[in-house]
């Protein structure tokens, strides 16, 4: 009856056969391409996923039919061929067809040793992978006649039957076990984690064995044409005489491929074969449009190419390879862009822990700022500064950092904090500075007084001990780690300039200092989208004046302190405008509660009392009076501007005078002034009136005219809801999604790190909303704000400047919502430029397919 007929659906891999990756898998398709290139590929038969699925469900395949493709005494291998190489698959089985008769034949052609070695290898892999016997019984035996006899006996004892002699039965069992392995739960979970769908099938590839064992030059090897870590063109790989499969990478005795002073090479041994291999590699690269690793064998001087797989590569190598393929005209620039993962770029901007080196991790926490640095532990900002003064790199380890640690952070090579999340102070500042940073390491026990750090495994570290912070992985490592330097070379820049040619949303940087602005320019940001001016007041000389201003008893005293701050602020803005050379600069007026500028220790308060020439009790009382229960919801942002308007007046004057200074130097700048933490239209009216008045005064005094734009930072839910009326007085709205997330959820951005893991693990939040924009909730507010704002003012500029601005998902959201630009930490600018290009390119492809 028809239904008992063995399945006969398989295909000879010829240049014209119908082979498709979705049915036969990537390997079968790749082998067909190699065949079309006329490469010496041994005869191959491909089983489609439908056939393999049927085998797994118990049907039999026509093994005699398959074997008939391989001559009278077939010796074959079976390899997995899923649609995507990343989806894994069962282990390859070599030498199917070995039995006593085949062994006798091999003895004649290849000698006893070779015949024993091949037979033993087959018995071992059949016993382990097909019969699923205990690997300990079969692994590790050195090939010999005795080892072969032992293995055959062990098999017969365990299975209660002799080792199968019939090649058709051997093949049927191999196919069945590989088909079943694919259906197993762990294999399914593994491939689904790599993006495979629930229905993803497995193709199988049956191939004539090319021996690699013989009398003349015989062996096997693996060859590729780029360095997998750097991506530089370079023949890499190994060759091992009298071997099979990937032995050359695993076993002792392998030799180099190219001529090498360190030892013998294939190029010396067989220069013609080596030259053929290089030619095959070049053809593969051009036709498969990819850097491939070639698996080859040589049998009595005859070369065979068995397989080609995409070269495994680091992020930096991926970028180099994509750009080189585009430069050689093999792929388009658009394709090169799409082949580089935006997130991988941030790895190229900083030192990275070399994946090839050892790593001794003592804690895992939140990866707050990428890169890696090694240094001696310090437990205070003062110690960090002292260490920097001695020229010794240090890692600042603190419970958490505060604005007064800014100088300590500048002095440190890396930062590790016990508390905090991705938008806490340490994280935001470290990203801005490009410092590797790990936060929220709550498994650590930190004793700042004893200057001692205890790891979860009980190890203790003291001040001066050397550790490495890996901010990319979110780990701290004991001791020194091997580091790879950044890869900001010409290749990197060219890829990003291609990205700029296609993207359709602007990218600016959040930059507070001239150094940040310079980084922003180096990464080719299109301006500054957020300059947090408070960071300009934390330098020691300014902090004293700032504190005098805060402690002023009268408006007159306050004015006197502000007059001293004015030229400092003006210089800051002149420098920023100068560095940005005509690109837009958006300056946010003072935002944090004044209490943040005060010392937090008794010692600090005493020093302040001395500096202000006031009794300590006075200073302490005033500091206590400024403290608030909920400072993040207290007197900060525009509320300061309304209650103490002189501060914003001074800042506006400094901005306008800097604008004039730049104009005198022959350049033009149109500053953008942004009001933080707005929640009501009236706040904007009040501030605008005063700023307009300051502008008028500066114009009159200088006799020069200038333009400026006034905008609002939307970071309270009410500002988003009332954006329609707020936009009457605003040329732009910039969404501060850090505070907006904090206030929408009612979730402290500085404390959420403590329970965020639990929340994410239990599926309460799909992701940390401070990290990945919550498009459902906060996103809805963004939509409402943007829509209502634009309804009032069609030319309203819209942007995002929270930490989300640099994330591909948020960029996609903002682009769809019609935003003009995103603004992110300078070090995320390259990633944002590439992510924006990906979005534009994918849209283009989708449009073309409609
Ligand atoms: C924000 O709240 O999103 C923002 C950019 O401002 P900050 O992080 O300085 O509060
Ligand atoms: Mg904010």
């Amino acid at each position: 009856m028809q239904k008992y007929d063995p399945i006969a659906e398989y295909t000879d891999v010829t240049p014209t056969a119908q082979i498709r990756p979705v049915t036969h898998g990537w390997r079968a398709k790749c082998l067909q391409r190699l065949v079309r290139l006329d490469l010496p590929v041994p005869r191959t038969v491909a089983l489609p996923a439908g056939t393999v699925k049927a085998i797994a469900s118990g049907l039999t395949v026509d093994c005699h039919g398959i074997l008939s493709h391989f001559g009278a005494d077939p010796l074959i291998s079976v390899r997995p061929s899923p649609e995507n190489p990343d989806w894994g698959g069962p282990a390859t089985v070599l030498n199917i067809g070995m039995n006593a008769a085949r062994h006798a034949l091999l003895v004649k052609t290849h000698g006893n040793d070779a015949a024993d070695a091949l037979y033993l290898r087959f018995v071992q892999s059949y016993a382990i992978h097909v019969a699923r016997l205990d690997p300990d019984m079969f692994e590790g035996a050195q090939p010999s006649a005795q080892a072969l006899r032992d293995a055959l006996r062990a098999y017969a004892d365990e299975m209660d039957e002799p080792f199968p002699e019939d090649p058709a039965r051997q093949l049927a069992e191999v196919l069945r076990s590989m088909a079943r392995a694919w259906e197993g739960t762990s294999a399914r979970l593994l491939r689904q984690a790599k993006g495979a769908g629930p229905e993803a099938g497995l193709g199988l590839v049956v191939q004539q064995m090319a021996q690699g064992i013989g009398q003349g030059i015989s062996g096997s090897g693996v060859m590729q044409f780029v360095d997998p870590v750097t991506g530089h063109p370079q023949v890499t790989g190994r060759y091992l005489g009298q071997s099979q499969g990937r032995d050359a990478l695993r076993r002792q005795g392998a030799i180099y491929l190219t001529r090498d002073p360190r030892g013998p090479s294939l190029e010396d041994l067989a220069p013609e074969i080596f030259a053929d291999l290089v030619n095959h590699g070049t053809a593969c690269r051009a036709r498969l449009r990819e850097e491939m690793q070639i698996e080859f064998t040589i049998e009595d001087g005859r070369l065979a190419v068995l397989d080609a797989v995409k070269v495994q590569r680091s992020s930096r190598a991926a970028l180099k390879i994509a750009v080189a393929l585009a430069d050689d005209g093999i792929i388009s620039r658009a394709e090169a862009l799409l082949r580089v993962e935006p997130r991988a770029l941030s790895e190229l901007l900083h030192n990275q822990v070399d994946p090839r080196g050892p790593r001794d991790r003592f804690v895992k926490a939140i990866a707050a700022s990428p890169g890696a640095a090694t240094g001696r532990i310090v437990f205070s900002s003062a110690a960090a500064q002292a260490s920097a003064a001695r020229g010794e790199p240090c890692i600042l380890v603190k419970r958490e950092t505060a604005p007064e640690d800014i100088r300590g952070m500048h002095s440190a090579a890396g930062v590790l904090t016990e508390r905090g999340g991705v938008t806490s102070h340490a994280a935001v500042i470290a990203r801005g500075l490009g410092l590797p940073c790990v936060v929220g390491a709550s498994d650590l026990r930190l004793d700042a007084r004893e200057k001692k750090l205890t790891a979860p495994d009980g190890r203790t570290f003291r001040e001066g001990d050397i550790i490495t912070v890996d901010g990319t992985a979110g780990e701290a490592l004991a001791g020194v780690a091997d580091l790879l330097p950044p890869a900001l070379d010409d290749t990197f820049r060219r890829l990003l300039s291609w990205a700029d040619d296609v993207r359709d949303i602007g990218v600016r940087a959040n930059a507070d200092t001239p150094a940040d602005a310079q980084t922003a320019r180096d990464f080719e940001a299109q301006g500054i989208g957020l300059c947090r001016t408070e960071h300009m007041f934390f330098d020691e000389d300014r902090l004293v004046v700032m504190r005098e201003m805060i402690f002023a008893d009268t408006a007159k005293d306050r004015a006197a302190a502000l007059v001293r701050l004015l030229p400092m602020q003006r210089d800051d803005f002149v420098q920023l405008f100068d560095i940005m050379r005509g690109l837009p600069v958006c300056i946010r007026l003072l935002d944090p509660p004044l209490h943040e500028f005060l010392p937090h220790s008794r010692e600090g308060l005493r020093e302040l009392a001395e500096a202000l020439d006031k009794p300590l009790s006075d200073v302490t009382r005033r500091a206590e009076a400024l403290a608030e229960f909920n400072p993040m919801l207290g007197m900060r942002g525009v509320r300061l501007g309304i209650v103490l308007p002189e501060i914003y007046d001074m800042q506006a004057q400094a901005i306008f005078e800097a604008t004039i200074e730049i104009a005198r130097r022959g350049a033009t700048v149109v500053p953008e002034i942004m009001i933080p933490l707005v929640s009501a239209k009236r706040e904007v009216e009040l501030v605008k009136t005063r700023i307009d008045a300051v502008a008028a005064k500066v114009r009159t005094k200088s006799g020069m005219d200038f333009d400026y734009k006034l905008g609002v930072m939307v970071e309270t839910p009410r500002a988003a809801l009332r954006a329609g009326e707020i936009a009457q007085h605003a040329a732009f709205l910039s969404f501060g999604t850090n505070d907006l997330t904090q206030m929408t959820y009612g979730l402290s951005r500085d404390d959420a790190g403590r329970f965020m893991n639990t929340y994410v693990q239990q599926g309460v939040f799909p992701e940390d909303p401070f990290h990945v924009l919550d498009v459902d909730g906060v996103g809805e507010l963004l939509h409402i704000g943007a829509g209502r704002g634009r309804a009032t003012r069609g030319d309203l500029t819209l942007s995002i400047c929270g930490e989300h601005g640099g994330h591909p998902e948020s960029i996609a959201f903002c682009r769809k919502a019609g935003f003009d630009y995103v603004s992110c930490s300078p070090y995320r600018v390259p990633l944002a430029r590439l992510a924006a290009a990906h979005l534009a390119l994918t849209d283009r492809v989708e449009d073309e397919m409609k």
Side-chain angles (χ1 to χ4, degrees):
M1 271 191 315
Q2 183 67 30
K3 73 176 184 184
Y4 291 114
D5 279 354
I7 318 162
E9 258 184 52
Y10 47 79
T11 313
D12 204 1
V13 179
T14 62
T16 52
Q18 282 287 323
I19 295 200
R20 292 183 305 134
V22 272
T23 47
H24 295 87
W26 71 274
R27 178 169 262 132
K29 188 68 212 172
C30 179
L31 284 167
Q32 184 184 41
R33 292 197 177 121
L34 301 184
V35 170
R36 285 181 183 154
L37 285 173
D38 254 348
L39 260 52
V41 178
R43 184 115 199 223
T44 307
V45 164
L47 273 63
T51 301
V52 178
K53 199 167 179 51
I55 296 171
S57 67
L59 295 182
T60 45
V61 72
D62 178 10
C63 286
H64 289 288
I66 296 174
L67 286 171
S68 69
H69 288 256
F70 300 99
D73 299 299
L75 211 49
I76 53 178
S77 67
V78 181
R79 293 168 200 268
S81 179
E83 185 185 340
N84 181 325
D86 295 337
W87 297 349
T92 293
V93 181
L94 303 178
N95 304 312
I96 301 158
M98 276 306 287
N99 52 24
R102 195 71 179 77
H103 179 260
L105 273 180
L106 269 176
V107 170
K108 279 196 209 131
T109 55
H110 290 68
N112 269 319
D113 291 350
D116 289 347
L118 290 189
Y119 199 0
L120 175 65
R121 186 171 187 144
F122 178 52
V123 175
Q124 287 171 328
S125 90
Y126 191 94
I128 295 167
H129 298 298
V130 181
R132 312 257 163 215
L133 298 179
D134 183 355
D136 288 348
M137 296 175 61
F138 292 91
E139 268 168 358
Q142 286 305 311
S144 67
Q146 186 56 45
L148 174 61
R149 276 194 297 277
D150 289 349
L152 286 167
R153 190 171 330 104
Y155 181 93
D157 288 350
E158 288 296 308
M159 299 296 289
D160 277 341
E161 61 165 8
F163 189 77
E165 289 271 310
D166 175 12
R169 160 131 190 255
Q170 293 175 352
L171 177 61
E173 294 296 332
V174 169
L175 294 178
R176 192 181 52 81
S177 89
M178 289 175 88
R180 293 235 165 116
W182 182 254
E183 302 290 330
T185 312
S186 51
R188 185 188 301 273
L189 289 176
L190 272 177
R191 65 179 176 265
Q192 286 182 353
K194 300 245 163 122
E199 291 307 313
L202 174 73
L204 289 173
V205 160
V206 184
Q207 193 177 62
Q208 178 95 49
M209 284 297 298
Q211 280 310 343
I213 291 183
Q215 312 289 353
I217 295 182
S218 299
S220 67
V222 169
M223 182 182 222
Q224 64 185 45
F225 301 86
V226 287
D227 179 297
V229 173
T230 64
H232 286 301
Q234 176 188 321
V235 174
T236 349
R238 289 289 183 272
Y239 168 80
L240 179 62
Q242 307 298 334
S243 76
Q244 289 189 320
R246 299 172 79 83
D247 285 352
L249 296 182
R250 292 190 281 254
R251 296 221 316 241
Q252 294 272 319
I255 61 173
Y256 298 101
L257 297 178
T258 42
R259 223 155 260 146
D260 196 301
R262 291 169 295 174
S265 70
L266 181 64
E267 192 174 7
D268 289 321
L269 184 73
E272 279 158 26
I273 296 177
F274 176 80
D276 281 350
L277 265 172
V278 171
N279 288 338
H280 294 334
T282 313
C284 268
R285 178 174 184 265
R287 280 295 291 277
L288 305 183
R289 306 166 68 248
E290 190 41 287
E291 280 297 345
M292 304 300 285
Q293 186 188 64
I294 295 173
E295 201 176 298
F296 64 93
T297 59
I298 303 171
E299 186 177 358
D300 287 334
R302 268 190 333 275
L303 175 66
V305 172
L306 308 185
D307 201 7
V309 295
K310 206 174 131 183
V311 166
Q312 293 284 336
R313 61 201 70 184
S314 69
S315 304
R316 61 188 67 207
L319 184 136
K320 267 255 168 342
I321 291 170
V323 171
L325 288 170
D327 281 345
D328 294 343
I330 294 171
I331 59 173
S332 65
R333 287 182 174 181
E335 193 165 350
L337 284 167
L338 288 170
R339 284 191 187 189
V340 179
E341 177 53 40
R343 286 180 210 284
L345 283 190
S346 63
E347 285 182 30
L348 311 184
L349 309 179
H350 315 277
N351 286 325
Q352 294 297 330
V353 175
D354 190 330
R356 297 165 296 191
R359 52 189 300 134
D360 180 6
R361 180 176 96 185
F362 65 85
V363 75
K364 171 133 189 85
I366 298 170
S369 176
T374 298
R376 294 188 183 282
I377 294 181
V378 291
F379 291 103
S380 70
S381 286
Q385 284 170 248
S387 177
R390 291 193 302 274
E392 264 179 26
C394 65
I395 305 293
L396 178 60
V397 180
K398 291 209 71 173
R399 184 141 293 147
E400 61 197 333
T401 63
E404 63 195 9
D405 289 313
I406 190 89
R407 283 159 65 84
M409 290 183 73
H410 265 287
S411 308
V415 178
L416 170 65
T417 69
E418 189 195 290
R419 294 197 185 144
V422 282
T423 56
S424 60
H425 180 266
V428 173
I429 300 297
R431 278 198 293 277
L433 296 175
L435 271 187
C437 176
V438 172
V439 300
S442 50
D443 291 344
L444 288 177
R445 260 185 300 125
L446 177 65
D447 188 337
R449 193 168 302 191
E450 285 290 307
K451 298 197 176 149
K452 195 171 94 177
L453 184 68
T454 311
D457 64 5
R459 272 191 282 181
T460 55
F461 299 88
R462 304 255 172 200
E463 190 154 76
D465 285 352
I466 293 183
I467 59 169
T468 298
V469 166
D470 182 346
T472 305
E475 295 179 358
L477 317 175
V480 180
D482 300 341
L483 299 184
L484 290 170
L488 293 172
D489 53 8
D490 182 54
T491 317
F492 178 88
R493 291 184 195 289
R494 276 190 319 121
L495 184 91
L496 287 177
S497 77
W498 301 345
D500 293 345
D501 293 341
V502 297
R503 71 185 159 85
D504 50 15
I505 183 166
V507 177
R508 294 198 198 176
N510 295 350
D512 310 330
T513 61
D516 291 348
Q518 194 52 56
T519 314
R521 267 212 80 95
D522 293 347
F523 292 147
E524 296 175 57
Q526 291 164 288
I528 294 180
L530 171 64
C531 168
R532 296 172 160 108
T533 49
E534 62 270 21
H535 292 149
M536 297 169 162
F537 297 113
F538 283 107
D539 266 1
E540 216 158 353
D541 46 344
R542 297 161 179 222
L543 199 52
V544 176
V545 190
M546 188 70 182
R547 287 169 175 171
E548 277 177 33
M549 193 274 294
I550 294 170
F551 279 96
D553 290 319
T554 63
K556 198 160 143 260
D557 287 352
R558 189 172 314 122
L562 285 167
V563 162
R564 286 167 60 207
L565 285 172
L566 175 75
M568 303 178 188
Q569 278 266 270
R570 190 173 50 221
D571 284 357
D572 292 331
F573 297 133
V574 169
Q575 281 193 61
L576 284 191
F577 294 156
D578 208 29
I579 292 167
M580 296 312 288
R581 271 176 256 145
L583 292 174
V585 176
C586 181
I587 298 162
R588 177 178 78 182
L589 299 173
L590 196 71
D591 180 42
L594 294 182
H595 192 260
E596 278 196 11
F597 295 95
L598 301 184
H600 291 102
S601 63
R602 202 167 160 74
E603 181 57 28
L605 284 168
R606 186 137 31 79
E607 279 171 18
L608 180 60
E610 244 168 60
L612 298 179
D613 198 16
K614 287 187 191 291
L616 176 61
S617 54
D618 261 23
V619 171
T620 311
R621 199 173 334 106
R622 293 290 292 274
E624 279 167 7
L626 277 171
E628 295 170 292
F629 284 110
N630 273 320
M632 278 300 157
L633 303 178
M635 217 205 11
R636 58 170 285 217
V638 68
R639 298 161 198 169
L640 279 174
I642 307 279
V643 178
L644 299 171
E646 303 92 330
I647 303 178
Y648 280 11
D649 287 353
M650 179 279 286
Q651 290 196 293
Q653 186 178 341
I655 294 168
F656 297 140
E657 289 179 359
T659 307
I660 284 173
E661 170 64 26
I662 290 291
R664 288 208 175 104
R665 295 182 189 178
T668 318
V669 60
V670 179
E672 299 172 5
I673 301 179
M674 181 153 74
I675 315 173
L677 214 80
V678 164
S679 57
K681 172 182 142 185
R682 182 73 185 138
E683 290 169 329
V684 188
E685 275 169 0
L686 288 172
V687 173
K688 183 172 181 339
T689 310
R690 287 191 73 112
I691 288 182
D692 284 345
V694 174
K697 247 196 243 158
V698 176
R699 282 189 185 112
T700 315
K701 194 164 161 221
S702 65
M704 288 176 72
D705 199 8
F706 53 85
D707 280 334
Y708 69 95
K709 293 181 182 165
L710 188 75
V712 164
M713 198 160 171
V714 178
E715 45 186 349
T716 65
R718 193 175 192 282
L721 297 170
R722 306 306 297 165
E725 56 187 19
I726 286 173
Q728 289 167 9
H729 304 299
F732 60 88
L733 296 184
S734 188
F735 290 86
T737 46
N738 301 334
D739 272 310
L740 192 56
T741 302
Q742 167 162 272
M743 300 204 199
T744 304
Y745 279 86
L747 183 66
S748 159
R749 57 198 262 200
D750 297 302
D751 302 308
R754 281 199 206 170
F755 56 87
M756 192 54 74
N757 269 352
T758 315
Y759 252 54
V760 172
Q761 267 162 17
Q762 301 205 13
V764 184
F765 299 157
E767 304 268 3
D768 179 347
F770 290 110
H771 194 53
V772 176
L773 182 72
D774 157 44
V775 287
D776 299 335
V778 180
E780 186 171 0
L781 283 171
L782 259 58
H783 267 307
I784 292 173
R788 293 185 184 170
R790 282 252 169 93
T792 301
R793 199 188 263 245
D795 63 350
L796 185 70
T797 302
L798 294 175
S799 61
I800 179 173
C801 62
E803 288 303 303
H804 303 93
H807 288 272
E809 298 86 351
S810 327
I811 299 172
F813 178 90
C814 294
R815 193 175 156 265
K816 281 254 169 331
F819 280 37
D820 296 278
Y821 69 87
V822 298
S823 189
C824 52
S825 306
Y827 283 93
R828 290 196 81 96
V829 165
L831 181 161
R833 288 163 68 198
L834 182 58
H838 273 210
L839 294 163
L841 286 170
T842 347
D843 269 9
R844 231 185 252 176
V845 173
E846 277 167 16
D847 283 350
E848 279 161 17
M849 281 166 63
K850 273 184 196 153

